[in-house]
Amino acid sequence: MLVTFGGGCFWCTEVIFQNTDGVKSVLPGYMGGKNDHPTYEQVCTGTTDHVEVVQLDIDESKVSFEDLLKIFFKTHNPTTLNRQGNDVGTQYRSVVFYHNEEQKEKAERFIQQLDAEHVYADPVVTAVEPASTFWEAEDYHHNYFNSHPENPFCSVVIAPKLQKFLKEFKA
């Protein structure tokens, strides 16, 4: 089953799901925009309407869509519109791109529950939208954190996020 999330920089979300049991593959890419074959440089302008996403291929016998929603919402800030930390722009917006009606319903229900339980001080602004064409990111974005641990962004931003995830979702 395919699952597609946009939750800020795809370098951050890729490594989280690479470390999730039941996720067979994680591809960084772009979705939701108006241009065919967008490049990273084009998407970074914020003018293409694409979102940096990760597309997951999962083994449903090992991980459920609900489990992935829990991880997704716990590992990024779903209450900031078009922003994750210092990354600002529509390309960093929080979105669940659903591949079927069941994913849509579960994502919408999950968000309603988060808001009803006041899990966050502010309302969740994560969009739930139909999946469109997935444009795979350039090769140098694949496995970025593992390939560039010396990169300051990786060591300062991604590494602590990964450690928090590994501690919280150990099981």
Side-chain angles (χ1 to χ4, degrees):
M1 174 170 73
L2 292 178
V3 175
T4 307
F5 294 129
C9 171
F10 47 36
W11 298 344
C12 294
T13 50
E14 177 188 50
V15 72
I16 296 295
F17 291 108
Q18 285 175 330
N19 285 278
T20 302
D21 190 36
V23 175
K24 298 188 289 188
S25 69
V26 182
L27 288 175
Y30 317 106
M31 188 174 278
K34 56 190 173 200
N35 301 23
D36 288 350
H37 307 285
T39 65
Y40 181 69
E41 290 73 23
Q42 291 169 333
V43 172
C44 282
T45 68
T47 61
T48 69
D49 295 331
H50 287 91
V51 181
E52 286 192 20
V53 298
V54 289
Q55 188 156 83
L56 317 175
D57 183 13
I58 67 166
D59 178 346
E60 294 176 84
S61 70
K62 293 184 179 180
V63 66
S64 70
F65 183 68
E66 293 88 343
D67 290 334
L68 296 173
L69 287 171
K70 289 175 191 170
I71 292 167
F72 174 66
F73 281 97
K74 194 72 170 181
T75 57
H76 84 291
N77 184 345
T79 68
T80 54
L81 187 63
N82 302 330
R83 178 184 196 129
Q84 287 299 307
N86 290 330
D87 291 332
V88 179
T90 56
Q91 67 272 28
Y92 301 115
R93 66 192 178 94
S94 177
V95 58
V96 175
F97 284 106
Y98 62 87
H99 293 267
N100 57 50
E101 286 300 310
E102 183 180 8
Q103 284 184 356
K104 177 186 179 187
E105 292 167 11
K106 287 180 178 182
E108 288 174 342
R109 233 176 319 166
F110 195 87
I111 292 168
Q112 289 169 354
Q113 184 177 350
L114 291 173
D115 281 337
E117 294 175 3
H118 303 286
V119 172
Y120 301 99
D122 297 313
V124 172
V125 297
T126 303
V128 178
E129 300 176 10
S132 56
T133 303
F134 173 76
W135 302 102
E136 191 172 331
E138 297 82 351
D139 287 344
Y140 67 92
H141 291 295
H142 293 239
N143 200 34
Y144 194 86
F145 175 79
N146 296 315
S147 299
H148 300 89
E150 75 291 344
N151 178 304
F153 185 80
C154 292
S155 59
V156 174
V157 176
I158 302 173
K161 182 183 273 202
L162 176 61
Q163 291 308 311
K164 180 180 174 187
F165 161 76
L166 292 172
K167 183 178 179 185
E168 188 155 338
F169 290 95
K170 199 175 204 176

